[in-house]
Amino acid sequence: MQGSLPETRGSAGSIYVAPSLAAALDALNDYGPAGAPFAGGTWIMRSPIRHEPLREHYVAIGKITELRTVQIGNDAVEIGAAVTHAALATALAGLPEFDVLATAAGSAANPAIRTMATIGGNLSTPNFAAADCVPALLCLDAEVEVSSRGDRERMSLNDFLKARPTLAPGRLLTSIVVPRTRRKTAHTRLPLRRSGDYPVAIVSFAARLDALNRVERVRVAVGSVEPVARRWERLEAALLGRALEPTQAANIAAELAGEFTGRDSVEAPAWYRVNVLPSLVRRATAAALGS
Ligand SMILES: Cc1cc2nc3c(=O)[nH]c(=O)nc-3n(C[C@H](O)[C@H](O)[C@H](O)COP(=O)(O)OP(=O)(O)OC[C@H]3O[C@@H](n4cnc5c(N)ncnc54)[C@H](O)[C@@H]3O)c2cc1C
């Protein structure tokens, strides 16, 4: 298979800088399981620390113009997979309905990492429970486009997360599509120290409220507590129709938090990740009301 690749793609242990999306998809297809996309490289570079083997071939996607743009339309915002966290936070700065995503992209890791790490890498990284943009995009009902040579498929982010562990070689997350609608949103995270740490727990929140602040539609998503971020549907159902009030929302969250099975790690024990959820819900709802 590798013998059929143009020489410019390099030999074993190579990084091929793809000049176009078509070239990237061709290379990924040809490399098969020996190859993988290389976006910001902030996760891949730490593979040795995690005792994970590197792939034989990487296809760098950072120079592909169409993957580096944020298109703000009237009905939706479309984000190229190679848009960095820093660029995304800047692009969304004037759109209050996207506060949750702008905060997620603008507060993850540290400033240097944010200029490298991409939104596509954040969603695609397997076994990365603490990815900030995943819960933020879950509560915005995001869809993603996944491309391979000759094929492009749109699916919900939730379905992508389910498919992610078995995503066939040659497939590339190419864009994220987020519908525009009136909503108040917020992203809250608890790092152990002030910044630079992976968060112990994340709560992302989005709600449409009526004139009396009653909840007409709501999404709450939780990250870093379980291995994969997910929506907190029982809390959403309990908040629906009520006037949004942060302390009451936290009290309901405390009653329902038992449904989470926290993950143990060197950074934080499982029980702690679950215990902090009510106060993150209180902070998220207060921030959304103030947005
Ligand atoms: C010290 C440190 C702290 C960090 N803290 C946080 C944090 O708190 N919160 C947070 O969210 N992030 C954090 N990050 C950043 C995190 O690494 C990135 O958010 C993200 O997981 C990787 O993005 P990347 O573009 O660097 O991906 P890469 O490292 O290039 O790739 C990661 C994985 O995704 C695959 N991949 C990349 N792009 C695509 C694509 N378009 N389609 C399919 N597969 C793809 C790669 O093949 C690889 O398997 C931190 C990073 C560091 C180094």
Side-chain angles (χ1 to χ4, degrees):
M1 178 98 45
Q2 288 157 30
S4 65
L5 292 171
E7 265 178 46
T8 49
R9 288 189 197 152
S11 55
S14 68
I15 294 191
Y16 165 60
V17 181
S20 67
L21 180 56
L25 296 176
D26 278 348
L28 286 167
N29 183 73
D30 292 347
Y31 288 139
F38 184 102
T42 63
W43 185 265
I44 291 171
M45 74 174 180
R46 302 214 295 176
S47 300
I49 297 172
R50 295 188 302 272
H51 306 288
E52 289 170 9
L54 288 164
R55 293 291 176 89
E56 209 175 323
H57 302 287
Y58 284 102
V59 177
I61 58 171
K63 299 274 187 231
I64 302 172
T65 310
E66 68 185 280
L67 300 187
R68 292 177 57 97
T69 57
V70 179
Q71 291 176 46
I72 300 174
N74 290 333
D75 300 328
V77 169
E78 185 164 348
I79 307 160
V83 170
T84 66
H85 284 60
L88 182 58
T90 302
L92 298 177
L95 302 173
E97 82 215 49
F98 288 96
D99 276 355
V100 61
L101 184 56
T103 307
S107 61
N110 59 52
I113 296 291
R114 291 197 290 271
T115 63
M116 301 295 295
T118 66
I119 180 86
N122 198 252
L123 303 191
S124 303
T125 302
N127 306 319
F128 180 29
D132 276 88
C133 292
V134 177
L137 285 163
L138 280 173
C139 81
L140 294 178
D141 293 323
E143 294 189 322
V144 300
E145 284 197 345
V146 179
S147 302
S148 53
R149 183 151 74 185
D151 186 51
R152 181 171 286 216
E153 187 187 354
R154 170 95 69 104
M155 62 184 85
S156 70
L157 174 57
N158 197 39
D159 285 348
F160 174 75
L161 294 175
K162 285 187 198 145
R164 190 173 62 180
T166 54
L167 207 62
R171 302 189 82 196
L172 184 70
L173 175 63
T174 37
S175 69
I176 299 102
V177 182
V178 191
R180 295 194 69 178
T181 173
R182 178 175 64 80
R183 62 193 159 211
K184 289 180 175 289
T185 72
H187 182 78
T188 51
R189 64 202 298 275
L190 182 72
L192 281 181
R193 291 177 294 254
R194 188 156 283 280
S195 69
D197 285 338
Y198 292 129
V200 167
I202 303 168
V203 170
S204 298
F205 181 88
R208 190 178 67 221
L209 307 176
D210 69 10
L212 299 171
N213 278 347
R214 282 182 306 233
V215 177
E216 293 179 335
R217 190 170 194 281
V218 62
R219 296 281 184 264
V220 186
V222 172
S224 203
V225 172
E226 295 181 333
V228 182
R230 67 169 166 99
R231 275 177 48 199
W232 193 346
E233 291 182 1
R234 289 179 68 205
L235 179 58
E236 292 171 1
L239 294 176
L240 210 57
R242 293 175 189 256
L244 188 62
E245 201 286 307
T247 303
Q248 188 188 52
N251 289 340
I252 299 171
E255 282 168 25
L256 299 177
E259 75 174 67
F260 286 90
T261 307
R263 63 189 176 94
D264 262 321
S265 77
V266 287
E267 294 132 25
W271 64 265
Y272 183 65
R273 294 182 194 279
V274 178
N275 271 24
V276 299
L277 284 176
S279 76
L280 286 179
V281 167
R282 181 175 42 72
R283 281 171 45 194
T285 48
L289 280 168
S291 72

